[in-house]
Amino acid sequence: MLKRKIINKLNDWYNNPNKKALLLKGARQVGKTTTIREFAKSHYKNFIEINFEQTPLTKEAFAGNLDAKSIILNLSSMGYGPFEKDKTLIFLDEIQSCPQARTAIKFLVEDGNFDYIESGSLLGINYKDVSSYPVGYEQHEDMYPLDFEEFLWACGINDEIIDVLRNSYENISSVPELIHKQIMERFRQYLIIGGMPEVVNTFVSTKDINQTKQIQANIISSYRDDIAKYAGKEKHLAKKVFDSIPEQLCKKDKRFVLSDLEKGASQRKYGDATEWLVDAGIAYFSFNTCAFELPFSFYEKRNLYKLFMHDVGLLSHISFSNLLFNILQGDISINEGALTENFVATELKKKGRDLNYYDKKSKHELDFIFAENDKISIIEVKSGNNYKSHASLNMATRDFNDRINRAIVLSKFNVEKQDDIIYYPLYMAMFL
């Protein structure tokens, strides 16, 4: 069983005497079901798992009256149970396939006899079918592929080593060179393995890249199947957007340009299809901010954006399958540093940060900006050797000095600070 940070949130939820239903969201195959099953083993006498896609008949338990007594009676008649007060967790998986179950959560929570966890991979997709949301009766949590720290745990890197890295990050002091080299080696592995649990487990147990590639191929195929099955009239457009993400990330500016999909492509035509991929958790928006001001939402240009893959390993599989050896040997700057920037995007997203980049009239671009201590922090991602060449960052520190909290460059080199710019190794994105 992989060690996952989400367990801490599940434990906090369990210990809350006034708990609501827990709604766990995330893309397919990020480990939601496995984590909930393991959590249930250590916390409950009875665990009842209902998967609305695997057993469609269970939807009928929610087809009539939605009071708790009727629903539990219906489920019991279908063979589910036992239902013991205060000792039972009911897990409603793929709940997006049964909108009435989502509506019923209010009444189930009010009943107070059992605990409920909901989960789904496409929760943002069928939102129009839910007649009444259980507002005030759900606690929402997001689950992602393993972040880099979780990957280190899976690889057997102990907390003592991670504490050394964290102290270097916090004190802006060099990491011992031997440790730095070892963690950079793990970082390069992460660029091609990523954080999908089955892929990580296979890599850790076999070290066979060919096996991990096959699993990644299967996951990508399952995502395409989801697009074909669930995206409705948008499926052809969503597939075009999905297939174009890796290519567009390999451009120098990495901005997603609709006209690259087809001549005359518009936001009106492709907007819903792109939102579908983001709702499914497969892709992340990073919106352009044209003013170096807070809050970013006032200055976002939502028609100008980058699209990042939710897992850097899947991006690596799609775009760089023939270059994996080069990446492992240290060439992480291939294709304009697409992998390293996508890595940083996913680490920020897993920390709960919205993604924004600064670009005003294509003159100076900053890869990532985020609010910190009522000011703005900047991240520039450098995958090559010339990591101290950063004209846009220099411009920002000159023109916006009073608005900047931290100016950070992430590269493959060790920690240092020079002229108010902090240089961190790329792997320290896990501490941001």
Side-chain angles (χ1 to χ4, degrees):
M1 178 65 183
L2 295 168
K3 182 180 176 183
R4 304 300 305 270
K5 295 178 180 178
I6 192 71
I7 285 292
N8 294 329
K9 293 183 178 179
L10 294 178
N11 287 331
D12 289 343
W13 169 79
Y14 176 80
N15 291 320
N16 185 343
N18 300 310
K19 68 171 69 66
K20 305 173 182 180
L22 180 69
L23 179 65
L24 189 60
K25 301 177 288 182
R28 287 205 191 278
Q29 302 188 53
V30 298
K32 300 186 298 298
T33 300
T34 300
T35 300
I36 292 167
R37 286 171 180 167
E38 291 297 318
F39 170 76
K41 284 180 184 178
S42 59
H43 290 80
Y44 292 90
K45 180 180 177 182
N46 306 309
F47 176 56
I48 297 168
E49 179 177 347
I50 299 166
N51 186 309
F52 291 111
E53 289 190 356
Q54 193 173 57
T55 53
L57 182 64
T58 53
K59 298 176 189 178
E60 295 185 16
F62 299 84
N65 292 333
L66 295 183
D67 62 285
K69 186 177 291 186
S70 295
I71 291 170
I72 298 303
L73 180 63
N74 290 341
L75 291 173
S76 180
S77 70
M78 293 178 177
Y80 291 96
F83 295 90
E84 293 185 65
K85 179 177 169 59
D86 298 328
K87 297 179 181 180
T88 303
L89 174 64
I90 301 175
F91 175 33
L92 304 174
D93 202 5
E94 301 299 357
I95 197 169
Q96 77 280 350
S97 292
C98 185
Q100 282 294 87
R102 187 83 184 277
T103 301
I105 284 296
K106 172 183 176 180
F107 310 110
L108 295 170
V109 171
E110 282 182 334
D111 178 59
N113 285 323
F114 316 112
D115 290 347
Y116 295 89
I117 295 181
E118 311 158 78
S119 185
S121 304
L122 299 169
L123 279 162
I125 308 307
N126 292 337
Y127 63 93
K128 293 178 182 177
D129 298 327
V130 179
S131 60
S132 176
Y133 279 105
V135 177
Y137 294 87
E138 288 179 330
Q139 175 182 327
H140 292 209
E141 298 291 349
D142 292 303
M143 189 169 181
Y144 302 96
L146 279 77
D147 65 18
F148 184 61
E149 185 175 10
E150 291 172 315
F151 178 75
L152 291 179
W153 292 339
C155 293
I157 305 299
N158 61 41
D159 287 336
E160 184 178 352
I161 295 298
I162 294 175
D163 285 344
V164 170
L165 301 176
R166 185 176 285 105
N167 287 335
S168 291
Y169 169 82
E170 293 174 349
N171 297 318
I172 314 179
S173 58
S174 292
V175 178
E177 196 59 29
L178 177 61
I179 295 176
H180 171 68
K181 288 180 178 178
Q182 290 176 331
I183 302 302
M184 276 304 301
E185 181 180 352
R186 294 297 186 185
F187 170 74
R188 294 191 296 271
Q189 292 171 359
Y190 185 79
L191 289 183
I192 65 174
I193 300 302
M196 301 304 282
E198 186 180 1
V199 180
V200 174
N201 268 325
T202 301
F203 171 73
V204 170
S205 61
T206 70
K207 299 298 187 293
D208 187 336
I209 298 297
N210 287 321
Q211 286 192 45
T212 63
K213 286 172 63 177
Q214 184 56 57
I215 297 168
Q216 289 170 328
N218 293 341
I219 293 171
I220 292 163
S221 178
S222 74
Y223 287 164
R224 290 198 171 104
D225 288 344
D226 277 347
I227 293 170
K229 183 177 179 181
Y230 295 106
K233 64 181 181 179
E234 309 295 339
K235 63 184 177 183
H236 298 299
L237 303 179
K239 187 177 183 299
K240 272 190 177 182
V241 174
F242 177 72
D243 290 340
S244 184
I245 293 173
E247 178 185 352
Q248 302 225 28
L249 284 174
C250 291
K251 301 184 302 186
K252 186 172 183 178
D253 65 1
K254 297 176 177 56
R255 186 163 66 86
F256 197 91
V257 179
L258 290 174
S259 60
D260 287 354
L261 300 177
E262 63 175 69
K263 187 177 180 180
S266 66
Q267 190 66 26
R268 172 179 286 184
K269 180 176 181 179
Y270 280 94
D272 287 346
T274 307
E275 287 280 1
W276 191 97
L277 294 170
V278 174
D279 283 345
I282 297 171
Y284 303 144
F285 279 124
S286 178
F287 288 109
N288 168 268
T289 301
C290 61
F292 203 81
E293 301 280 354
L294 291 174
F296 298 142
S297 58
F298 285 8
Y299 306 99
E300 282 182 349
K301 291 188 175 181
R302 297 183 74 85
N303 63 326
L304 297 177
Y305 54 84
K306 302 176 185 180
L307 270 183
F308 292 103
M309 293 279 291
H310 77 303
D311 182 67
V312 69
L314 297 183
L315 174 63
S316 180
H317 175 84
I318 295 171
S319 299
F320 309 113
S321 272
N322 60 335
L323 296 171
L324 300 185
F325 179 78
N326 303 59
I327 296 169
L328 288 174
Q329 295 302 305
D331 185 3
I332 60 174
S333 62
I334 53 177
N335 290 66
E336 302 291 346
L339 288 178
T340 50
E341 191 163 331
N342 200 104
F343 163 76
V344 174
T346 59
E347 290 293 304
L348 290 172
K349 193 69 178 176
K350 291 164 187 172
K351 297 288 191 243
R353 297 191 183 278
D354 293 326
L355 302 180
N356 290 94
Y357 70 98
Y358 173 82
D359 182 15
K360 188 173 183 179
K361 298 180 180 179
S362 300
K363 290 184 178 180
H364 294 284
E365 181 179 312
L366 302 171
D367 294 333
F368 297 98
I369 55 174
F370 59 94
E372 187 176 50
N373 297 327
D374 297 323
K375 291 189 175 184
I376 298 172
S377 288
I378 305 167
I379 299 174
E380 282 284 87
V381 182
K382 297 291 184 179
S383 55
N385 293 325
N386 196 18
Y387 67 108
K388 291 189 176 179
S389 176
H390 34 65
S392 295
L393 185 59
N394 293 341
M395 174 279 301
T397 56
R398 181 186 68 242
D399 295 350
F400 308 130
N401 184 60
D402 60 331
R403 299 175 225 171
I404 294 174
N405 185 62
R406 290 190 293 172
I408 297 168
V409 173
L410 296 174
S411 75
K412 60 186 177 182
F413 297 96
N414 212 322
V415 182
E416 62 178 305
K417 186 173 183 179
Q418 183 176 325
D419 299 328
D420 293 325
I421 295 174
I422 305 170
Y423 296 89
Y424 285 129
L426 278 153
Y427 56 76
M428 284 192 176
M430 64 180 171
F431 298 134
L432 289 168

